[in-house]
């Protein structure tokens, strides 16, 4: 993940929330400051321990977390593969066997109700 060396997660620091280099500054807090209009220069003045790369790492961390999950596309059967041809052959044989059983079934005549 981009910036992951600058973003740390430790159970004893900020209750296990992602923080900037273990400085006890949660990533969400940096993102809130940035989204509130705080500039990188203002953050550097207010928090000299934060480096410009830390801000980029927070943004990259959030972007990575918000990406949609990768859902693999369904596999389209290859109609020329041997496995597909064999499965179709088995299906065809089963259908033929079923139809043969229907054809050869003895005809039952209705019982007279005398």
């Amino acid at each position: 993940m981009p910036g992951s060396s600058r973003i740390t997660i430790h159970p004893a620091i900020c209750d296990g929330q992602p923080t900037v280099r273990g400085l006890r500054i949660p990533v969400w807090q940096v993102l809130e400051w940035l989204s509130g209009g705080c500039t990188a220069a203002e953050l550097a003045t207010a928090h000299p321990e934060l480096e410009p790369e830390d801000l980029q790492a927070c943004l990259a961390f959030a972007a990575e977390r918000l990406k949609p999950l990768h859902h693999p596309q369904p596999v389209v059967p290859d109609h020329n593969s041997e496995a597909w041809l064999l499965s179709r052959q088995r299906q065809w044989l089963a259908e033929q066997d079923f139809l043969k059983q229907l054809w050869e079934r003895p005809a039952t005549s209705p019982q007279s109700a005398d």
Side-chain angles (χ1 to χ4, degrees):
M1 177 180 348
S4 60
S5 63
R6 291 187 169 269
I7 306 301
T8 57
I9 299 174
H10 191 280
I13 300 174
C14 294
D15 295 324
Q17 296 178 39
T19 59
V20 178
R21 293 184 287 124
L23 296 174
R24 300 190 183 280
I25 301 175
V27 170
W28 69 263
Q29 184 68 64
V30 174
L31 295 171
E32 190 171 84
W33 290 330
L34 291 171
S35 69
C38 195
T39 66
E42 292 170 336
L43 281 176
T45 302
H47 301 279
E49 65 275 15
L50 287 177
E51 300 170 358
E53 293 84 7
D54 295 331
L55 305 181
Q56 292 299 317
C58 288
L59 292 171
F61 182 82
E64 187 66 29
R65 287 288 178 104
L66 292 173
K67 280 184 183 176
L69 296 175
H70 172 69
H71 295 287
Q73 296 297 320
V75 177
V76 178
D78 178 9
H79 297 304
N80 294 322
S81 73
E82 185 176 348
W84 185 84
L85 292 172
L86 287 174
S87 71
R88 289 294 294 148
Q89 183 182 29
R90 280 192 298 275
Q91 182 181 1
W92 183 81
L93 289 172
E95 289 171 358
Q96 293 300 312
D97 188 47
F98 175 74
L99 291 172
K100 182 179 176 187
Q101 289 175 12
L102 282 178
W103 183 260
E104 293 176 349
R105 181 181 295 171
T108 57
S109 60
Q111 300 283 332
S112 56
D114 289 299

